[in-house]
Amino acid sequence: MARLAFASAATLLARLASPLTLLALLTFVLALPAQTARSQTAEQIIAKAEDLVKGTSCKGSFTMTVVSPSYTRTVKMDSWWVGNEKALIVVRYPKKEEGNKTLKIGNELWTYLKNTETTIKLPPSMMLQSWNGSDFTNDDLVRESNLSKDYRQTVLRHDTIHGERCWVIELVPRPDAPVVWGKILYAVRQSDNLPAWQDYYDERGALMRRMEYGDYRIMGGRKIPATWAMLNTTKDGHRTELEINNIQFDIPISDRMFSYRELEKRD
Amino acid sequence: MRLRNTMAVLLLAASGASAQWEPDFSGYVVTMPAYLRLNADIAGASGLDRDQLANVTRLRLRPSLTIPWDALFEVEYEMSGLIQSADQPLLVEQRDIGRQVLDLRWTIAESDHYAVIHFIDRLVYRQRASIGQLDIGRQRISWGTGRIWNPTDLFNPINPVNFAKIEKDGADAVSAKVFLGTLSDVQAVWNPAENAPANYGVRFRSHVRTFDFSVLGGYFDSAPVAGFDLAGDLGESGVRAEFLYTGLIASDVERYAKLIAGADHQFTPELYGLLEYHFNGAGTSDRQAYDIEGLFSGSILNVARHYIAGMASYLVHPLVTVSIMGTLNIDDASQFYSATASYSAANELVLGAGVQLFAGDMGDEFWYYPFTTYLKLDFYF
């Protein structure tokens, strides 16, 4: 048995010694990292990308600029997120909307309007409504987070975007999933697993909007895209830019933050 | 000695946290020039021209001070001016503000054709703690879920006909809220009254599945009250209800119920619709018995028993919203319609225009009101 094993090893070495085999081996070794990355499933790639930009929890300040050919509006806000399940967003600017708040718990949304001191629970149909006049919708706050639950995900192709090799992943709604999009294409950079862009298609396959990420830099102790721009592809020149001013990741945030108490707190 | 120690502790606490004293200031000014056309009978009876002009301007200042020991002191001060072509009141005039004991309303100048007043509408100290919150002073207490009527709002609800108001009037009260969970709390309110027993109530609020709900009970205007409200999802739509019964266990007061039931839906990203029914058990179906004086003094909001209202708003442009609303008094078939358009002209500036139309026979509820059209400018700072 030992002799047989020795013979097999000798044969293998002899084969390895041929130039052609060495070239093949070199190619295999060089391709190994990419092969390992490719072995990630689409779900894993997207889950990692989402985790990198959102963390298990985060707290930050943002500036949202709504741009159109005829006007520009700016909103500044603070927000607290725990995973994708809970969020509290407080408008700090402009004065007209200062103190207005949005609370998300699971798939439910409430808004608090400071000027009239009223809390309103938003019905599911209102998820289609623009959030604070932007190209984001209430649905983006509530459902975007449940990508793995609501969409089947497959790696569609590989693209190079701004010199970055990316996976392009197709997300198709699962049967009966409560989503508004017919399809999403999600591009993730292979070098750092950060999102590059997302295309949103309606149920008839028409491209409705595109999210582009940019200004990748270290914030909150990790590399993230500091600008997110939502382009309305149905209206020329309309886009909403979200700039992260500061952010902290994976910090303890009490459940108390996501409550009527904080929603209605005057501060 | 004990007093000195206490003072020392307080001073140390205050000095140690002095960085947390945070003043804040905001406010707005709104001005509304209006054209009114009185109905011919009222104009004839009062000797006024049918065509009238008026302008309401309100300046509201909202300073606040965050205090280091997790407290907040809030003031809302308003100066309001009315100028009109007529020498008699044309608009719904709330002469007595309910639920207010201290008279913090002063007249700066007044004549037949103009009035300038100023008043303090919020003056409240809020003390927060991990288990709850205590509010003392003039404050807004928001009860109820209805979008047009709020029968369970026992603290100064707004008449839907009054287009000049944004905030509900403050109530002089002590309010204690205990947090029972993230979406549950219980609030107790004590509201003293002048020359009458104090009002008090307790409201428990919580959340089950996709529904917010609350139950309340108390003693208001010398009568026991009990009720509930809810707001939740029915399919893709939102549904709301409020119910209030007055005089439940008292034999010497009038017993009646009030309720609302409504639904709203966002049909497209631009189009929103709302329908609400209101039963007002304190009203009457006999228009001869309408309490018109109470209606125009602001002590009551409606005189009949059954109402239905529909509202739709359409986002014409990201900066322009148009809304229409229709209200039917089912008892006398009189109607009230309003339409508004608002344009967000800048981050802090909103321009708007509106019209109010009323239809009804002599003596009907909505017969009394003048046709009104107005422009509106809101500037926030």
Side-chain angles (χ1 to χ4, degrees):
Chain A
M1 181 65 86
R3 189 180 297 169
L4 185 63
F6 176 77
S8 299
T11 310
L12 180 63
L13 280 170
R15 282 185 186 167
L16 283 177
S18 77
L20 205 61
T21 309
L22 279 174
L23 185 63
L25 183 64
L26 187 63
T27 307
F28 173 77
V29 169
L30 288 174
L32 198 56
Q35 190 67 37
T36 306
R38 265 200 292 276
S39 67
Q40 290 185 89
T41 64
E43 282 84 358
Q44 287 169 329
I45 294 167
I46 287 185
K48 192 171 175 186
E50 293 282 297
D51 180 59
L52 282 170
V53 294
K54 293 177 182 172
T56 53
S57 67
C58 70
K59 171 190 171 187
S61 300
F62 307 85
T63 300
M64 184 173 79
T65 308
V66 182
V67 180
S68 88
S70 55
Y71 66 90
T72 299
R73 292 287 180 275
T74 300
V75 179
K76 293 181 180 175
M77 59 202 132
D78 293 338
S79 75
W80 293 257
W81 290 78
V82 167
N84 292 317
E85 286 302 303
K86 296 176 181 176
L88 180 73
I89 302 167
V90 183
V91 175
R92 301 296 187 198
Y93 174 88
K95 286 283 186 184
K96 185 177 62 170
E97 286 148 25
E98 185 186 42
N100 288 356
K101 299 185 184 182
T102 302
L103 172 67
K104 160 196 155 69
I105 298 178
N107 280 355
E108 293 183 272
L109 276 185
W110 292 261
T111 62
Y112 175 75
L113 305 175
K114 186 179 177 184
N115 283 332
T116 54
E117 296 170 79
T118 50
T119 298
I120 298 171
K121 187 176 186 302
L122 300 185
S125 59
M126 213 173 268
M127 298 301 162
L128 295 166
Q129 200 179 47
S130 160
W131 185 73
N132 267 352
S134 70
D135 292 298
F136 295 97
T137 64
N138 290 323
D139 189 76
D140 291 322
L141 297 182
V142 172
R143 302 249 169 83
E144 178 72 5
S145 43
N146 299 321
L147 293 177
S148 60
K149 190 174 128 195
D150 293 334
Y151 293 90
R152 273 200 312 270
Q153 302 167 20
T154 49
V155 177
L156 195 67
R157 63 176 190 267
H158 298 252
D159 268 358
T160 300
I161 301 146
H162 303 308
E164 285 284 343
R165 191 91 172 130
C166 294
W167 293 287
V168 177
I169 295 167
E170 183 182 59
L171 295 90
V172 178
R174 296 183 191 280
D176 303 323
V179 296
V180 295
W181 303 111
K183 181 177 78 173
I184 300 174
L185 293 185
Y186 194 141
V188 178
R189 292 155 39 122
Q190 293 182 5
S191 62
D192 50 19
N193 226 112
L194 288 169
W197 53 260
Q198 293 156 14
D199 282 348
Y200 295 81
Y201 295 83
D202 68 9
E203 289 174 343
R204 288 168 293 187
L207 179 63
M208 302 302 289
R209 58 185 203 174
R210 162 175 271 227
M211 173 88 98
E212 288 183 352
Y213 298 87
D215 191 14
Y216 295 84
R217 56 189 158 110
I218 303 292
M219 294 188 84
R222 59 173 71 177
K223 188 178 178 185
I224 55 166
T227 60
W228 306 21
M230 183 69 88
L231 282 67
N232 188 330
T233 55
T234 62
K235 293 178 187 171
D236 280 347
H238 286 254
R239 68 181 191 277
T240 298
E241 295 168 359
L242 198 65
E243 182 188 353
I244 302 172
N245 302 323
N246 64 69
I247 194 161
Q248 295 172 269
F249 289 103
D250 300 338
I251 53 169
I253 299 176
S254 166
D255 255 7
R256 193 182 291 168
M257 185 57 72
F258 312 103
S259 63
Y260 287 148
R261 167 201 168 116
E262 285 299 323
L263 182 68
E264 296 169 353
K265 182 176 167 184
R266 307 271 290 179
D267 52 8
Chain B
M1 186 66 176
R2 186 180 294 170
L3 179 65
R4 195 188 304 165
N5 288 343
T6 308
M7 290 291 287
V9 168
L10 285 175
L11 282 170
L12 279 171
S15 61
S18 59
Q20 296 171 44
W21 289 92
E22 284 179 23
D24 190 30
F25 179 78
S26 66
Y28 66 84
V29 61
V30 54
T31 186
M32 285 172 285
Y35 162 75
L36 302 90
R37 184 164 174 80
L38 310 184
N39 88 38
D41 295 299
I42 289 180
S46 57
L48 292 169
D49 288 340
R50 288 192 71 188
D51 300 311
Q52 298 289 343
L53 296 172
N55 184 287
V56 177
T57 299
R58 300 170 50 225
L59 169 69
R60 193 151 176 122
L61 306 177
R62 304 186 287 201
S64 69
L65 179 65
T66 300
I67 302 169
W69 46 91
D70 204 10
L72 181 73
F73 184 67
E74 263 188 324
V75 177
E76 294 198 15
Y77 164 85
E78 183 167 324
M79 186 180 289
S80 180
L82 167 70
I83 183 164
Q84 60 181 30
S85 53
D87 57 4
Q88 299 173 33
L90 294 171
L91 306 170
V92 174
E93 189 189 32
Q94 196 159 345
R95 288 188 288 271
D96 301 313
I97 309 297
R99 314 299 185 211
Q100 294 185 357
V101 180
L102 296 175
D103 184 7
L104 301 177
R105 180 173 289 248
W106 305 275
T107 300
I108 296 172
E110 191 174 30
S111 81
D112 289 343
H113 293 281
Y114 66 84
V116 181
I117 62 166
H118 62 149
F119 56 94
I120 293 173
D121 197 27
R122 303 284 189 276
L123 185 70
V124 60
Y125 175 83
R126 300 182 197 280
Q127 180 61 57
R128 299 161 181 150
S130 58
I131 58 161
Q133 179 176 310
L134 180 69
D135 293 8
I136 303 169
R138 182 162 293 176
Q139 58 192 285
R140 169 76 195 119
I141 297 165
S142 294
W143 287 3
T145 54
R147 302 296 297 275
I148 296 173
W149 295 283
N150 289 114
T152 63
D153 183 345
L154 296 156
F155 302 93
N156 303 329
I158 295 178
N159 189 333
V161 172
N162 192 340
F163 62 89
K165 284 190 81 73
I166 298 172
E167 302 89 355
K168 299 179 182 184
D169 294 309
D172 294 343
V174 176
S175 160
K177 190 180 274 187
V178 176
F179 306 118
L180 304 173
T182 54
L183 298 178
S184 294
D185 55 39
V186 60
Q187 183 180 20
V189 178
W190 177 74
N191 164 232
E194 205 171 358
N195 305 319
N199 305 303
Y200 54 86
V202 177
R203 181 179 188 243
F204 167 73
R205 175 173 62 159
S206 192
H207 180 81
V208 174
R209 291 179 179 271
T210 60
F211 276 83
D212 292 343
F213 73 93
S214 71
V215 291
L216 67 92
Y219 192 84
F220 285 83
D221 302 319
S222 304
V225 299
F228 68 87
D229 65 60
L230 58 87
D233 304 339
L234 187 66
E236 293 293 301
S237 302
V239 290
R240 294 181 179 79
E242 290 184 33
F243 175 80
L244 186 78
Y245 194 86
T246 299
L248 187 65
I249 53 171
S251 57
D252 56 342
V253 297
E254 187 186 359
R255 296 181 179 191
Y256 58 86
K258 289 183 178 182
L259 68 86
I260 64 112
D264 63 348
H265 192 90
Q266 185 83 33
F267 295 97
T268 70
E270 294 82 23
L271 180 63
Y272 166 83
L274 165 78
L275 200 63
E276 200 164 287
Y277 166 76
H278 176 35
F279 172 72
N280 172 30
T284 173
S285 295
D286 175 9
R287 67 177 180 177
Q288 304 298 328
Y290 282 172
D291 180 8
I292 294 298
E293 191 177 328
L295 182 69
F296 283 91
S297 72
S299 62
I300 59 171
L301 303 184
N302 296 104
V303 292
R305 291 172 79 84
H306 302 278
Y307 296 87
I308 192 161
M311 196 271 272
S313 69
Y314 189 78
L315 193 69
V316 179
H317 177 274
L319 303 179
V320 180
T321 303
V322 173
S323 300
I324 55 168
M325 190 173 101
T327 303
L328 171 68
N329 175 331
I330 296 170
D331 293 304
D332 65 18
S334 63
Q335 299 133 53
F336 156 50
Y337 300 97
S338 68
T340 60
S342 70
Y343 166 54
S344 175
N347 269 334
E348 311 290 10
L349 179 66
V350 180
L351 303 176
V355 61
Q356 292 190 318
L357 297 135
F358 301 88
D361 295 331
M362 183 181 286
D364 289 345
E365 178 173 5
F366 293 125
W367 171 81
Y368 292 91
Y369 295 91
F371 164 85
T372 305
T373 182
Y374 59 90
L375 300 173
K376 191 176 180 189
L377 180 150
D378 299 70
F379 178 73
Y380 292 80
F381 52 85

